[in-house]
Amino acid sequence: MTPVVHVEDLRAVAGGTVLLDGVSFALAAGRVLALVGASGSGKTTTGLALLGEHAPGVVVTGRVSVAGRVGFVPQHPSSVLNPVRRIGGVFREIAAARGGQHLVATALRRARVPEELLRRFPHQLSGGQQQRVVLAQALVGDPAVLVADEPTTGQDPITRAEVVDELAAVVAQGVAVVLLTHDLDVVRALADEVVVLRGGRVVEAGPADDVLTRPRQEYTRALVAAQPRVTVPSEAPDTVPRLEVRDLTATHRRATVLHGVDVAVGAGECLAVVGRSGSGKTTLARCVAGLHESRTGDVLLDGRGLARSLRRRSSADLAAVQYVFQDARGSFDEHRSVLDQVARTAVRLRGTSTSDARRGALDALAGVGLDECTAARRPAGLSGGELQRAALVRALLARPDVVVCDEITSGLDTLTQAALLDQLADLRAAHGCALVLISHDLGVVARLADRVAVLHEGRVVEAGPARAVLGSPTHPVTTGLLGSAGRRTEEKRK
């Protein structure tokens, strides 16, 4: 078959740093090629080259040939949807610019966007619906190729399965897809070919089944082996609660998003909060951390109530409950070094001198593989995985009793994710810290959690020991999440 994408000896250099070093591959119509590898391996640079783009200061050479137009599906669909415009109005504008409503109508049909969604604003759409709308935008003009950048990152298992189905439907229509992803389950479900990148070089390439089930290279074997699986955990003993949430009701813009939530987690335990996008998981986490004031009910630390707002919490309480955000990059000041920001925690919350805090930060960062040269850079100079490790260290330097982790493994390659999970496990064992884990990844939940609470439409619909909830679920939402997470190659597009 004649390829619609042909990349030959693609090279990219930024200053003295080589980003890509001789990457080559080809892709035919109606086929999917997945680019996988650790953060910083060159996936995004390759995807940008297919779009005829590159980051500022990057020099790209080599041959990139595409037989037709290239569409783009971004990692976060909300970032490209106008929050104050209805979906239909945006598509009418696209139709006027592209010269015909029929092009838009065709794209909406191909992406399976129902007409009723056109009357809504982006915030009224689920994550899967937003991704479908962005897919329709990319399909306007009938592209030959779609570049999909982490299209399932941060999605719950049910929504992730929906996104996979939408992409598979487009591929069945003859569109080629270049998939940039860390999610090996999505690769198994969609990809025909896999290219494994490491340090800008192709270390292995071939049919997806061969690469993922019979990898030839040690690096590929490590990526596959590091992927967490949904297994039934061992039984956890009962403990005295360190953190309790009682009858928590929270509102947002006059809408109630949590209804009488009760959860608890003991010292050294991990409570995983799971559920579909929009179920209230992050709102619960923010209430615990004092970042969401519009709530009633109690948040107790060792039996003592915590103030609703960060501004009303003492330094000791601020140190006791630490929050690690999903978007690590957004949680750092882009103008200051990562080291200074990590060390600042010990200065502010524990009264440590600047010099001692800096030494402590360097020691802790070295423990997660970040040397002084890397830590001294501004955030833009670190990969997403490096920043996520730095964000966790920053929280731990407060010596907290509770750490709230909000989707901190989403978007990380399997090796970086495994290292982060090991660090969290060590934290619990060494310091008796309670961990509240917000996650869509049930493999991560199975590996870490002692207890699981399932949220649906702001209510706890199932809760208990992880062994019981994951091994013998009783609520349809839990069953649906586990069923979608368990989809494997046997359901792959024919």
Side-chain angles (χ1 to χ4, degrees):
M1 298 176 66
T2 303
V4 295
V5 176
H6 189 191
V7 175
E8 186 175 352
D9 197 26
L10 185 64
R11 299 176 184 274
V13 178
T17 303
V18 177
L19 305 179
L20 293 176
D21 189 5
V23 173
S24 301
F25 59 84
L27 179 63
R31 305 277 288 179
V32 179
L33 182 142
L35 294 176
V36 302
S39 300
S41 62
K43 299 188 299 298
T44 297
T45 303
T46 304
L48 287 174
L50 294 176
L51 296 165
E53 303 285 346
H54 56 77
V58 176
V59 177
V60 178
T61 59
R63 180 188 173 200
V64 177
S65 175
V66 179
R69 197 177 70 81
V70 182
F72 179 63
V73 179
Q75 177 174 346
H76 300 293
S78 59
S79 67
V80 296
L81 295 174
N82 191 325
V84 297
R85 297 194 61 191
R86 296 183 191 274
I87 302 301
V90 173
F91 274 106
R92 284 191 294 273
E93 187 175 287
I94 293 174
R98 294 288 177 86
Q101 180 62 39
H102 69 283
L103 295 176
V104 169
T106 300
L108 291 169
R109 184 176 65 255
R110 293 176 72 186
R112 299 192 286 191
V113 176
E115 185 176 348
E116 60 265 23
L117 295 189
L118 301 180
R119 295 187 289 272
R120 300 182 187 177
F121 292 96
H123 73 270
Q124 296 173 316
L125 305 179
S126 69
Q129 290 170 334
Q130 288 183 351
Q131 195 66 275
R132 200 176 302 173
V133 167
V134 170
L135 177 59
Q137 292 180 350
L139 290 174
V140 174
D142 195 22
V145 182
L146 280 180
V147 176
D149 186 4
E150 295 284 0
T152 59
T153 292
Q155 307 282 20
D156 64 82
I158 295 173
T159 302
R160 181 175 61 182
E162 292 172 354
V163 173
V164 167
D165 288 343
E166 301 304 333
L167 288 173
V170 170
V171 172
Q173 298 163 18
V175 178
V177 172
V178 177
L179 178 68
L180 318 180
T181 187
H182 291 125
D183 192 331
L184 297 186
D185 281 336
V186 172
V187 175
R188 288 185 177 91
L190 275 177
D192 300 292
E193 303 285 330
V194 173
V195 173
V196 182
L197 295 176
R198 185 182 190 188
R201 295 181 178 179
V202 177
V203 297
E204 188 162 355
D209 288 344
D210 289 347
V211 173
L212 295 180
T213 60
R214 294 176 294 277
R216 301 184 305 274
Q217 300 299 317
E218 181 60 34
Y219 179 71
T220 311
R221 289 195 287 269
L223 281 175
V224 173
Q227 182 184 17
R229 296 292 181 184
V230 181
T231 57
V232 179
S234 58
E235 189 169 353
D238 290 332
T239 60
V240 176
R242 165 145 285 182
L243 175 76
E244 289 182 272
V245 174
R246 296 179 182 172
D247 195 26
L248 183 67
T249 295
T251 59
H252 181 65
R253 294 178 180 174
R254 293 181 291 184
T256 302
V257 292
L258 291 175
H259 305 265
V261 169
D262 295 300
V263 293
V265 58
E269 278 192 334
C270 174
L271 167 70
V273 182
V274 303
R276 297 208 61 181
S277 299
S279 61
K281 302 186 300 297
T282 292
T283 300
L284 171 58
R286 290 175 64 85
C287 287
V288 169
L291 298 172
H292 189 95
E293 298 183 49
S294 300
R295 57 95 167 168
T296 60
D298 298 307
V299 176
L300 307 174
L301 178 65
D302 293 325
R304 179 175 53 83
L306 294 173
R308 288 186 294 176
S309 169
L310 279 179
R311 295 188 299 273
R312 298 180 181 177
R313 292 189 181 181
S314 66
S315 294
D317 285 344
L318 291 175
V321 180
Q322 288 288 297
Y323 195 105
V324 186
F325 294 86
Q326 176 177 356
D327 180 10
R329 194 170 300 280
S331 71
F332 282 92
D333 181 348
E334 61 179 326
H335 301 295
R336 297 168 55 213
S337 76
V338 170
L339 175 58
D340 287 344
Q341 295 181 67
V342 170
R344 181 65 178 162
T345 295
V347 175
R348 281 190 63 247
L349 299 181
R350 292 180 24 231
T352 307
S353 69
T354 301
S355 58
D356 287 346
R358 188 179 179 88
R359 281 193 295 270
L362 283 171
D363 288 344
L365 290 167
V368 297
L370 301 179
D371 59 25
E372 184 172 0
C373 180
T374 301
R377 300 172 189 162
R378 294 180 181 181
L382 278 70
S383 70
E386 289 170 334
L387 281 176
Q388 196 60 274
R389 281 177 275 166
L392 183 56
V393 168
R394 179 176 57 185
L396 299 185
L397 287 180
R399 296 181 182 172
D401 296 317
V402 178
V403 176
V404 182
C405 296
D406 190 357
E407 291 287 0
I408 67 169
T409 61
S410 66
L412 298 181
D413 64 89
T414 55
L415 292 175
T416 303
Q417 183 185 81
L420 198 65
L421 296 180
D422 287 343
Q423 187 180 1
L424 290 173
D426 291 344
L427 162 71
R428 296 166 53 201
H431 303 290
C433 183
L435 179 64
V436 178
L437 179 70
I438 310 298
S439 183
H440 285 127
D441 192 329
L442 296 185
V444 170
V445 170
R447 176 170 172 179
L448 283 182
D450 300 292
R451 307 188 185 282
V452 175
V454 182
L455 281 181
H456 180 60
E457 296 180 347
R459 292 180 169 85
V460 176
V461 296
E462 186 162 4
R467 181 177 181 82
V469 174
L470 299 181
S472 303
T474 60
H475 195 277
V477 169
T478 315
T479 304
L481 291 170
L482 287 166
S484 297
R487 289 181 58 165
R488 289 295 187 265
T489 308
E490 62 269 15
E491 295 185 5
K492 186 176 177 178
R493 164 187 48 82
K494 300 299 183 184

